[in-house]
Amino acid sequence: MNLHQVQSTVRVVGKRNIHRLQRWASLVTPYQPMAGGRQRLDAEYAKGKWEYLRDVSEFPRFSVVVGYCSYFKHGGKILEVGCGEGLLQERLCPEQYSRYVGLDISAEAIKRAEHKANDKITFIQGDASTYTFAERFDVVVFNECLEYFADPRALVQRYEQFLEPQGVFIVSMFAGLNTTRTRRIWKQLESLYPPATAATVTTRPGYQWLIKVFRPARGSV
């Protein structure tokens, strides 16, 4: 084995050990929301940190969310909380929805998304924990964002007032590292609403997402 091979092996072993430590830490570390808020996210978007969301490895979980939107409320009004640059909207076929609204706290993210706005697509910069809508939606999507809030359960409950009587919540969360934290959020949500369906997406070892549909109101969807 030459020096290059030895160095490569050391790097691989090092990464594996880091992942083991992160997984162990996720078992004992209580849930912590993102610190820094808008300022942090604006800086990260400006530096291109979130560009990886356009990678093909992210495509499968976006596709499941898109499929659920179409299956449960084809042609309905969609609100996405934590929309970022509007990548979910880009993956929706125009015929799948009558209106799309994306909300994100990052002004930089919304700046990058708003060129796509038109008579049926709107992007809003605002705090999801306080922003008030003057309309109701058939689908409210929380796509990889609940982990960043101090009280995810209360946040989701807050959006019941913006949901049509037979509307649904679609929630997607990363389930690779920090699975204990996300399981806690799932447990809280399932104590409130019966899951209508769920899917698990795995693209490679350590890269897994759970996507679930909840129907807060009574009655069939």
Side-chain angles (χ1 to χ4, degrees):
M1 181 179 291
N2 59 36
L3 178 59
H4 177 71
Q5 290 173 318
V6 171
Q7 290 174 332
S8 297
T9 301
V10 170
R11 283 195 293 269
V12 171
V13 172
K15 288 181 180 179
R16 288 174 180 170
N17 287 334
I18 289 172
H19 280 293
R20 290 193 186 101
L21 287 172
Q22 288 174 321
R23 290 178 186 278
W24 178 84
S26 73
L27 297 175
V28 298
T29 304
Y31 173 74
Q32 297 292 333
M34 173 184 279
R38 173 180 168 179
Q39 291 73 23
R40 174 178 173 178
L41 286 170
D42 282 346
E44 290 177 347
Y45 272 108
K47 292 178 181 178
K49 178 180 177 179
W50 299 95
E51 285 298 315
Y52 75 90
L53 293 176
R54 296 184 180 277
D55 189 78
V56 67
S57 63
E58 302 287 323
F59 184 76
R61 57 105 171 172
F62 273 109
S63 297
V64 172
V65 175
V66 167
Y68 281 157
C69 287
S70 180
Y71 179 85
F72 283 94
K73 295 296 174 180
H74 186 82
K77 295 167 62 177
I78 299 172
L79 168 63
E80 183 183 8
V81 178
C83 66
E85 299 177 62
L87 300 187
L88 176 64
Q89 182 277 321
E90 291 178 9
R91 290 161 172 76
L92 290 165
C93 294
E95 297 78 15
Q96 286 183 304
Y97 61 97
S98 58
R99 177 156 166 74
Y100 168 94
V101 176
L103 174 70
D104 201 281
I105 196 171
S106 171
E108 181 66 26
I110 295 300
K111 179 181 177 182
R112 294 171 176 232
E114 58 189 4
H115 71 277
K116 297 176 287 187
N118 55 36
D119 59 344
K120 64 184 287 187
I121 299 172
T122 303
F123 291 98
I124 301 170
Q125 188 277 316
D127 187 337
S129 62
T130 58
Y131 193 88
T132 298
F133 294 90
E135 59 185 309
R136 292 193 176 203
F137 300 87
D138 300 293
V139 180
V140 177
V141 178
F142 300 93
N143 191 9
E144 309 299 319
C145 70
L146 288 183
E147 306 94 314
Y148 299 121
F149 290 90
D151 192 343
R153 172 176 170 159
L155 181 81
V156 175
Q157 282 184 293
R158 180 177 184 274
Y159 278 81
E160 288 184 29
Q161 65 186 305
F162 307 123
L163 196 67
E164 290 287 0
Q166 301 301 320
V168 297
F169 290 140
I170 299 177
V171 180
S172 173
M173 285 193 287
F174 184 62
L177 302 176
N178 301 323
T179 53
T180 299
R181 296 175 181 177
T182 53
R183 280 202 299 269
R184 187 175 304 161
I185 300 173
W186 286 127
K187 185 175 181 180
Q188 292 174 342
L189 295 180
E190 291 173 3
S191 71
L192 294 171
Y193 318 117
T197 189
T200 301
V201 175
T202 302
T203 57
R204 57 186 177 183
Y207 285 76
Q208 186 177 79
W209 294 263
L210 294 179
I211 303 99
K212 299 185 181 183
V213 179
F214 298 96
R215 39 187 170 209
R218 294 181 180 179
S220 58
V221 177

